[in-house]
Amino acid sequence: MFDKNMHRFLKILHHLYAEQGMGLTDCLEIIGKMKKSKPLSKTALYLEGELKRGNRLSNALRTCPYVNFDTLTVAFVDFSQRTGNLSESLGFLKERCERKEKAASRVFEASIYPVFVILLSVFVSALMIFYAKSLLGENFVKTSLIRTLFYDLSFLFAFCGLMVWVLKRNLSDSPLYEAFLSTGFLIRYGVNASVALGLGANILGLETKAGQSFLKARRRMEDGIELDKAFCGEKKGIGNYSREIQEAFYYAGKSGGKNDVFERIAGILGKKLERKTALLLSLVEPVFVGGTGIFLILLMANFLMPVINGLNLV
């Protein structure tokens, strides 16, 4: 879920801790004085109090009542405290926040077009009803015109709703990309590969096919199978990318760079997502122009015919 307060808190904490080199409690003390943002201020004061009582930061994030820190954030902070790379983890989480914000912004900007089309069409329909009412009377509008306009607007609403769903589904952040990127980051910083795969499965959702693929690979590793064979043996949830994944493992094995193989795979997925996003955004306008054109044709046909028939009856 897109949580703006969590994203803002992580960005500020990364700036103070990683970029300014301040101590963790000092960072929380400064954020706690941000009176203009009560959720962030209360969160920082709560975390500071928990740290002073001897609790771990990850446990404090998990129980924080003011900002809902997701499972991935808590897990990353927990791992970073064990491996001593909190700065790097905060940087990764900040970049993740920026990716999610960018994806949400793309969806919002792309959705403006269908909303504008709907408002314009409703306005035009209202004008037509007003014109027909003044020309042919209220009874004619109630018996003939309202029904045809209802069908036309239903088509437009269904079309725009479908397109918004397609845009949201394809322009939002990719769980598969995030899972590979997060798994690769953890492996690179010393987290056991099977544990990292478990976190990747949580990002994808344990009930999804891709999530099950990560879990099965984790079980194979726990049975003593090497990472490349454990993961490449499972194609059900990631079949569309199985060839690229196998190639990434092959070249990683040849070059000795197995620690960054998941990040390489994430890079491949990221480039594909960028091409897919660019193509989809280029199609938004012509698709909506076509859908709006169909609506206008139906509207004019369904409006003119009843009006002509009504004039003939007058």
Side-chain angles (χ1 to χ4, degrees):
M1 185 175 64
F2 185 76
D3 191 325
K4 290 184 177 180
N5 287 326
M6 184 189 75
H7 293 183
R8 288 183 60 203
F9 182 85
L10 290 174
K11 286 181 179 180
I12 296 172
L13 183 60
H14 173 263
H15 173 73
L16 295 175
Y17 184 82
E19 297 179 3
Q20 299 298 324
M22 301 179 65
L24 186 56
T25 54
D26 293 333
C27 297
L28 295 174
E29 183 179 353
I30 291 175
I31 300 174
K33 295 178 181 179
M34 296 174 56
K35 301 301 182 182
K36 292 184 179 180
S37 182
K38 290 185 178 180
L40 301 191
S41 175
K42 291 181 178 179
T43 297
L45 293 175
Y46 173 81
L47 297 178
E48 183 183 6
E50 291 296 306
L51 291 179
K52 289 180 178 179
R53 281 189 284 271
N55 292 329
R56 293 169 59 87
L57 178 60
S58 57
N59 294 332
L61 293 175
R62 187 180 292 110
T63 59
C64 180
Y66 305 109
V67 173
N68 182 27
F69 292 96
D70 59 18
T71 303
L72 178 64
T73 299
V74 174
F76 260 76
V77 172
D78 184 44
F79 291 138
S80 69
Q81 290 178 311
R82 298 178 187 179
T83 57
N85 63 332
L86 182 58
S87 296
E88 291 81 1
S89 293
L90 288 175
F92 180 88
L93 292 171
K94 179 183 80 74
E95 292 173 359
R96 174 175 174 258
C97 292
E98 292 172 349
R99 289 193 297 271
K100 292 178 75 68
E101 288 174 354
K102 186 177 179 179
S105 177
R106 282 199 305 263
V107 173
F108 175 78
E109 292 173 1
S111 300
I112 291 176
Y113 203 100
V115 172
F116 173 76
V117 167
I118 289 176
L119 293 176
L120 182 61
S121 301
V122 171
F123 177 73
V124 172
S125 300
L127 287 179
M128 287 186 170
I129 291 175
F130 177 78
Y131 175 75
K133 182 178 179 181
S134 62
L135 185 65
L136 301 172
E138 186 172 351
N139 290 333
F140 173 78
V141 171
K142 289 182 178 180
T143 56
S144 300
L145 191 58
I146 292 294
R147 183 171 57 189
T148 57
L149 285 175
F150 173 78
Y151 291 136
D152 295 340
L153 288 173
S154 296
F155 161 78
L156 183 66
F157 284 8
F159 172 76
C160 289
L162 175 63
M163 292 307 301
V164 170
W165 178 81
V166 170
L167 291 171
K168 185 175 181 181
R169 182 178 177 84
N170 290 277
L171 295 180
S172 299
D173 58 313
S174 169
L176 188 61
Y177 171 77
E178 293 293 339
F180 274 105
L181 195 63
S182 300
T183 302
F185 177 87
L186 292 173
I187 292 174
R188 177 155 56 92
Y189 281 98
V191 176
N192 183 274
S194 64
V195 176
L197 285 170
L199 180 61
N202 277 283
I203 295 173
L204 292 163
L206 300 180
E207 72 287 350
T208 64
K209 291 181 179 180
Q212 287 295 316
S213 296
F214 272 66
L215 285 179
K216 290 177 181 178
R218 177 182 181 178
R219 295 190 192 104
R220 291 192 182 103
M221 286 198 66
E222 292 172 348
D223 291 336
I225 300 175
E226 293 185 3
L227 176 60
D228 53 348
K229 295 179 180 179
F231 199 85
C232 291
E234 180 57 42
K235 301 179 182 179
K236 189 173 181 181
I238 50 177
N240 293 335
Y241 304 103
S242 59
R243 182 176 61 82
E244 290 89 342
I245 290 171
Q246 289 175 359
E247 289 179 356
F249 272 107
Y250 173 78
Y251 289 117
K254 291 293 183 181
S255 62
K258 285 190 175 182
N259 286 343
D260 64 350
V261 64
F262 278 83
E263 292 176 323
R264 293 186 186 186
I265 296 170
I268 295 171
L269 298 181
K271 291 179 181 179
K272 285 197 170 187
L273 288 171
E274 288 177 3
R275 291 195 294 268
K276 179 182 176 182
T277 298
L279 177 62
L280 189 61
L281 290 175
S282 67
L283 292 175
V284 168
E285 186 172 349
V287 168
F288 274 104
V289 168
T292 307
I294 294 173
F295 166 75
L296 291 175
I297 291 172
L298 293 174
L299 185 65
M300 294 305 297
N302 292 331
F303 175 74
L304 290 176
M305 291 305 296
V307 169
I308 293 172
N309 292 334
L311 290 173
N312 290 333
L313 295 175
V314 175

